[in-house]
Structure formats: structure tokens, C-alpha cells
Amino acid sequence: KQEVTQIPAALSVPEGENLVLNCSFTDSAIYNLQWFRQDPGKGLTSLLLIQSSQREQTSGRLNASLDKSSGRSTLYIAASQPGDSATYLCAVSGGGATNKLIFGTGTLLAVQP
Amino acid sequence: DAGVTQSPTHLIKTRGQQVTLRCSPKSGHDTVSWYQQALGQGPQFIFQYYEEEERQRGNFPDRFSGHQFPNYSSELNVNALLLGDSALYLCASSRSTNEQFFGPGTRLTVL
């Protein structure tokens, strides 16, 4: 059974700092991995999707890496801003008959001005 | 292009009641998935609908049921509500098994 873990559960950093969020999964047979952002009480905004054949994806100040063999992904945020404060969720898809997502419990990020 | 929409935004029910949540997928999408997100947790997969059939189901009791209409919109029904059903219910749509896009969610409170 696939399990997804995110560390740390919460993180507080001063504005301008570079930071790394971690995600690990127990079954390396994934189809893709996705990072989401969630503001309090809101839906999910997709940040980056990495296919299983890829090693990383970049969008602006965000960079996500994937190491399938070790069951790990990292989300790197450069030059953090107060507007980056949110919960960041990692999810994996096993592919096959459906593309259901299995989520971690998230990392709550606070960027202090 | 409208994204995924859900209604209502918020809902308050009492234990034992029944509730129906609605989802309209993104244009061009034919698959709808439903997730339950309890406070402080990651979303949990409830089920997925494709071509008006339930394609896969997560570990949820039969009190949770759904439907997909010919226009690909979907409903989630929950019977005999329990306090533990209080959560944010998220709908996601996709084109078959491709990337999923999420709606804003429906916040259900059971008193």
C-alpha cells in the first residue's frame, strides 16, 4: 500500500530565504508526482507535475526533483516571499486504470516579512 | 475557460441527514474524482467516475455514493451523516487518466 510522508510538518522562515520541502513515498512504481499549494480553507493549486521518467521540473522560483528509486521528491523554493505562505502537498499517482492521487499530510509554510 | 466548479461553497447539516454535493468539470474533461480532506490532513480518494460509471473506489463506506451525468458533471451523496464526515470535499476533473485539476471545494460541517 502506497504511503506518502512529508517532512517537516511545519516550517517558518524569514523572507528571502531559500528552502526545501521533502516528500517520500513507499512504492517506487509511480506514474507521476505532483506538488500542490493550498491556502487556508481553499482548493488545491497545482504547482508542478513530474512524470516518472523525468528527474525535475521548474516553474519560476520553484524547482521539484524526483528520485523514484529512493522514493523521494523535493520542492525547492528560491527567495521566499510572504505570499508563499500556505500548505504544500505532495501527491503520487500510480497510473493504471485510474489516476487517483495519494497525498501526504502537507507542510505548513510561514514566510515572515 | 472556466475551471472546475463546485456547489455549494459551505453546508451545515445535522447527524443522520443526507447531503448532495455537486461538481462541474473543466471544459473538455470527462473524468471526475472526489476527495475528502479532514482538518490538518491530506485529501483522501473517495471514488472516480468515467463514462457515467464508478471506475475506482477508495476506502469509504457505502454511505458515500456518486453519480456522473451525460454532460460529465457529478454529484457526491452522503447518507446518514456522522460528525466525522465534517471535512472539505474536493472535486477534481481530468481528461481520462491525465493530470487532475481541482475545484475550490465544499466545506461540510455536521453538527
Side-chain angles (χ1 to χ4, degrees), chain A residues 31-32 34 36 38 40-46 48-49 87 89 93 95-106, chain B residues 31 33 35 37 40-45 48 55-58 88 90 94 96-100 102-105 107:
Chain A
Y31 184 66
N32 60 46
Q34 215 165 339
F36 293 90
Q38 185 174 34
K42 304 294 185 182
L44 307 182
T45 300
S46 179
L48 291 165
L49 182 149
T87 296
L89 291 156
S93 170
T98 77
N99 54 350
K100 77 170 190 180
L101 293 171
I102 299 172
F103 286 84
T105 52
Chain B
T31 301
S33 302
Y35 294 82
Q37 185 178 25
Q41 301 298 314
Q44 299 288 317
F45 176 76
Q48 182 177 89
R55 182 153 67 180
Q56 188 173 8
R57 187 180 184 90
L88 180 68
L90 296 164
S94 61
S96 189
T97 57
N98 293 310
E99 181 180 0
Q100 293 182 49
F102 283 78
R107 170 70 64 187

